[in-house]
Structure formats: structure tokens, C-alpha cells
Amino acid sequence: MQALDGTDTRLLSAMAKDPRGTVVALAQKLGLSRNTVQARMAQLEKKHAFLSFERRINPAALGYPLMAFISVHVQQQKLGQLALDLAEIPEILEGYGLTGSADLLLRVVALDAEDLFRINGKILACDGVERTDTAMSMGELIPFRVQPLLNRSTKTALRTG
């Protein structure tokens, strides 16, 4: 992804602070034309700067208050099919390939500890999984955020521009 310029980071910062703001409101706030804001937003979308709206939905509101992280040790040659099989388990919110001792890190949600045990069993039943290590989340200490990066990018743009 290409680096964003100062106008892009100002626009993203304004959107982060007011995600429901209209294009007209953003344009007024940033001192830009409506067409400029629309064009920049279209370019940002093409650059994949926006994550899916799903990231804003709290699983607890859907009845899944327990969150856990499951490290999965796998047979490497089966990783491709395994990723497809794991994607069929609805309680897995996201999964990452890792370096280090574990091969995958899955973020999962569950109804309770018993449900987490059931989900872990479904993961273990997938062909290619050798073992898992589960860590339950005790609470979110630093929520997902990008604003500090936007602030840093804006400061860097001001120094170099």
C-alpha cells in the first residue's frame, strides 16, 4: 500500500473521530471541497485503507461475551485446506499465520467456558491440526485503534512538508 499524504491522514482522522459524518461535513471541517473529499475517499477505498464494517460490531452484543486466543500448531502441508476448514467455524473472528512456536493465532468468541471447550474441539478435529493452546481474554486493555498512527503521520508530514 502506498503511503498516504497529509490530506489523506487528516481525512482519515476526521472520519475516525466522526464515523457518521457526511462528505459535506467532512469537507467543511477540513476546509476542502466536497468533490475533493469524495475523490480522496474513493482513492482510499481503492488503496484498501478501510476495514470492513464488521470490525465495529461487538460480538458481546450478539451473545458472545467470552473472547479467547487460540494458538494452533499445524502440519504445514495441510495449511491451505485447514484455513478453509477453520473459516467454516463461525466463532473464529480472525486468524493469522505466525512465525515462532505456533503456526496460527485465532481470535475466537464463545458463550461461556463450556462453549469455548466445544469450539476448541472443533478446531482440534480439523485435519492438519496437531495441538492448540488457549488463552482466555480477561479484558481489553488497549482497544483497536489507528488514531495514534494517524497523529504520527500528520506530524511527520508537517515536518517534511
Side-chain angles (χ1 to χ4, degrees):
M1 184 170 162
Q2 298 172 348
L4 305 178
D5 67 16
T7 301
D8 289 335
T9 57
R10 286 180 44 232
L11 176 58
L12 289 171
S13 184
M15 291 174 70
K17 290 175 184 166
D18 184 12
R20 295 177 186 239
T22 64
V23 171
V24 172
L26 289 167
Q28 289 174 343
K29 184 176 205 156
L30 298 172
L32 301 169
S33 74
R34 179 186 57 77
N35 288 340
T36 298
V37 170
Q38 280 184 313
R40 290 289 184 133
M41 288 175 70
Q43 287 301 323
L44 288 168
E45 193 161 6
K46 284 182 184 174
K47 293 178 181 178
H48 305 287
F50 303 120
L51 299 175
S52 73
F53 182 79
E54 284 182 284
R55 289 194 68 89
R56 297 200 53 203
I57 300 170
N58 185 345
L62 301 175
Y64 295 90
L66 192 144
M67 185 177 306
F69 297 90
I70 301 179
S71 299
V72 185
H73 303 263
V74 306
Q75 297 168 7
Q76 290 295 315
Q77 67 277 15
K78 296 184 178 181
L79 186 58
Q81 182 58 49
L82 177 58
L84 297 173
D85 294 342
L86 291 171
E88 294 296 317
I89 301 172
E91 296 87 356
I92 297 175
L93 299 181
E94 54 189 341
Y96 297 92
L98 302 175
T99 62
S101 63
D103 301 300
L104 301 173
L105 180 65
L106 306 176
R107 183 165 73 115
V108 303
V109 292
L111 303 171
D112 52 31
E114 186 176 321
D115 193 39
L116 180 59
F117 184 75
R118 176 190 63 80
I119 295 162
N120 193 56
K122 287 179 81 170
I123 293 167
L124 285 165
C126 291
D127 186 35
V129 172
E130 294 179 346
R131 68 183 179 91
T132 62
D133 298 307
T134 303
M136 286 193 339
S137 172
M138 300 300 288
E140 184 178 66
L141 300 178
I142 302 171
F144 182 84
R145 65 201 183 129
V146 179
Q147 191 65 52
L149 295 174
L150 291 168
N151 294 344
R152 185 173 186 219
S153 293
T154 301
K155 288 176 189 173
T156 302
L158 291 173
R159 280 195 300 255
T160 59

